[in-house]
Amino acid sequence: MYRFISFLAGLQNQFINILRFAVFLVMAWIGGLKAFQYEADGIVPFVANSPVMSFFYSKKAPEYQQYKNPEGKTVQKNVDWHNENRTYLFSYGLGAVIVGIGFFVLLGIWFPKIGLLSGVLTFGMSLVTLSFLITTPETFVPNLGGDFPTPHYGFPYLSAAGRLVIKDIIMLAAGLVIAADSAKRLLVSERH
């Protein structure tokens, strides 16, 4: 058992690099999807309700609720509304930022200064994303009524949107690990 534990302990640096690659993969994929209409439409409730980000849009919440394009369906009047709202323009910019942070995370394998910056940026981005749990009504199951009372709605019952957001707590922790590892590597290199 001791040999197995020692083996795992000796792989810590490689595991942190696997973490960096995992963060890069998620950011490159999700950031890249921001170039597509369905993904841009999907983030509107989060951005429109955020006191930190809503200024990027020209329309106020909750007007967007009338112009939702369900995934897999496109309605021209909704696309027109999103164009006026700057939904797609903002999504392209956000996607570029997310992909950029992802590449910085990956470069942190070789460049600790970039790794430190990317860890801090990942942490900050995750804080903003997690704030959507507080600011976006769609993150909790609504009481839509029905044939009998809905017993499970509101806090703590996360909707699909809320379940998507809460996972960013893992990215937040990953950002801290990446920043701390990069800082440690920088300190070691300064001593030599």
Side-chain angles (χ1 to χ4, degrees), residues 124-177:
M125 183 189 78
S126 299
L127 273 182
V128 172
T129 302
L130 288 166
S131 75
F132 297 153
L133 287 172
I134 298 167
T135 62
T136 307
E138 287 88 347
T139 57
F140 293 99
V141 174
N143 184 358
L144 298 177
D147 294 336
F148 52 89
T150 303
H152 306 290
Y153 63 91
F155 181 84
Y157 304 106
L158 294 169
S159 66
R163 293 189 301 271
L164 176 75
V165 169
I166 195 70
K167 288 187 242 174
D168 251 57
I169 202 154
I170 298 167
M171 292 292 275
L172 182 135
L176 291 175
V177 169

Side-chain angles (χ1 to χ4, degrees), residues 28-105:
W29 197 335
I30 297 298
L33 287 176
K34 298 287 185 268
F36 296 92
Q37 171 261 320
Y38 89 98
E39 175 68 14
D41 290 354
I43 65 171
V44 170
F46 302 114
V47 177
N49 287 293
S50 170
V52 177
M53 301 176 85
S54 61
F55 73 92
F56 286 109
Y57 287 165
S58 64
K59 312 279 187 183
K60 300 290 180 207
E63 184 179 339
Y64 64 85
Q65 292 176 347
Q66 303 167 50
Y67 301 97
K68 288 183 177 180
N69 280 315
E71 288 184 12
K73 182 178 182 181
T74 306
V75 177
Q76 187 60 52
K77 78 172 179 67
N78 296 347
V79 171
D80 294 342
W81 184 90
H82 285 289
N83 277 322
E84 291 174 21
N85 187 45
R86 299 189 298 256
T87 298
Y88 305 123
L89 182 63
F90 171 74
S91 189
Y92 301 151
L94 179 62
V97 168
I98 293 170
V99 170
I101 294 171
F103 274 110
F104 282 175
V105 168

Side-chain angles (χ1 to χ4, degrees), residues 20 108 111-121 175 178-180 182-183 186:
R20 284 184 173 98
F111 306 102
K113 286 181 183 177
I114 294 173
L116 176 61
L117 174 64
S118 70
V120 171
L121 290 172
I178 289 166
S182 298
L186 284 169

